[in-house]
Amino acid sequence: MQEQILRIGLDFSAPIPLHTDYSSGDFKGFEVDLVNEIANELELKLEYSVSYWKNIIQDLKDNKIDIICSAGTFSCKRAKELSFSKPYLDFHLCTVCNKSNLLSLNELNDKKIGVRIETEAEEYLKKFYPEAKLETFDTNDAIYESLNQMKIDVLIDDSPIAFGLLKQNPKLVIAEYLPNSDSQYAIIMKKENVDLKRKIDVVLEKLENNGFLESNKLKWFDQFQP
């Protein structure tokens, strides 16, 4: 962190409704409201930068940004080299299918399955569906369009992101939630940034206790249970 500025890394593939495209002129979402609250509490100015998810962790390691707040999933693997705040949203992974081609979980092994590259969905597939025909994508637009055109059979995504993007893709539907995929979003930092983590955790606890996290969830997810 430099001179009371909090530098935030965003995923180029905007995970609506967590946040929209930063360059769209209509930047908003669950995480935008959350980070604004954190900045107000800590009296910090915000500075955003955008990268592909496959590069964003390296941006953090290279000290180009202070935190990642862009649908960052906690994982034990990531926690070996990175630090995570208190979680701010629970969710599951889910399958998304064309309404005309619904697939059950036991049908996935020989199907073309799309995932975003370097995500927990990719790790899940490699672990539980090693024989699946895995296809990776850099952006949400690309993977959802590929499913719309039936170039892939199914995609796996975080349920909050799928919820948001299905509003733009009416031919698609969440088919099933994946077992053993209980997950949480948290703010990601470098391990040595202990003081920043402590301050952010204090604010997150306050926002949980005063009801902000729950009301913000209802605002952006319309009673959806991710």
Side-chain angles (χ1 to χ4, degrees), residues 6-182:
L6 185 65
R7 301 171 300 166
I8 304 165
L10 296 177
D11 184 1
F12 174 80
S13 184
I16 298 168
L18 294 157
H19 67 78
T20 56
D21 181 357
Y22 182 65
S23 64
S24 67
D26 188 27
F27 183 54
K28 60 186 180 181
F30 177 95
E31 290 174 332
V32 179
D33 290 349
L34 174 63
V35 169
N36 284 338
E37 286 293 315
I38 292 172
N40 288 336
E41 288 286 336
L42 299 180
E43 298 182 342
L44 298 172
K45 294 182 179 180
L46 300 178
E47 181 180 290
Y48 286 98
S49 65
V50 181
S51 299
Y52 284 111
W53 184 259
K54 64 183 180 182
N55 301 323
I56 201 168
I57 298 293
Q58 193 59 49
D59 286 349
L60 184 65
K61 293 178 179 178
D62 291 342
N63 202 37
K64 295 178 180 179
I65 54 177
D66 300 306
I67 68 170
I68 299 167
C69 188
S70 190
T73 304
F74 172 86
S75 73
C76 293
K77 180 180 178 181
R78 288 175 176 167
K80 291 178 181 178
E81 56 180 358
L82 300 167
S83 181
F84 287 82
S85 72
K86 292 171 60 69
Y88 54 80
L89 188 66
D90 298 334
F91 68 96
H92 292 82
L93 294 175
C94 65
T95 58
V96 178
C97 297
N98 279 279
K99 292 179 179 178
S100 61
N101 186 37
L102 295 178
L103 298 173
S104 64
L105 297 181
N106 60 14
E107 296 178 288
L108 298 184
N109 261 326
D110 62 343
K111 303 300 182 184
K112 290 182 180 179
I113 305 178
V115 291
R116 292 274 313 290
I117 194 167
E118 299 290 335
T119 60
E120 290 305 299
E122 182 180 6
E123 292 292 323
Y124 184 97
L125 270 180
K126 289 177 178 178
K127 180 177 180 180
F128 292 103
Y129 295 93
E131 297 178 7
K133 300 171 185 176
L134 181 63
E135 297 198 19
T136 58
F137 297 79
D138 280 323
T139 68
N140 289 324
D141 287 345
I143 188 173
Y144 279 80
E145 183 58 26
S146 184
L147 183 59
N148 269 314
Q149 296 181 9
M150 303 189 79
K151 293 180 180 179
I152 56 176
D153 299 302
V154 60
L155 67 81
I156 291 180
D157 205 351
D158 300 354
S159 55
I161 299 174
F163 163 78
L165 290 173
L166 290 185
K167 292 186 175 182
Q168 304 174 8
N169 295 274
K171 294 180 181 179
L172 308 181
V173 64
I174 293 176
E176 296 197 51
Y177 292 90
L178 297 175
N180 305 307
S181 71
D182 301 60

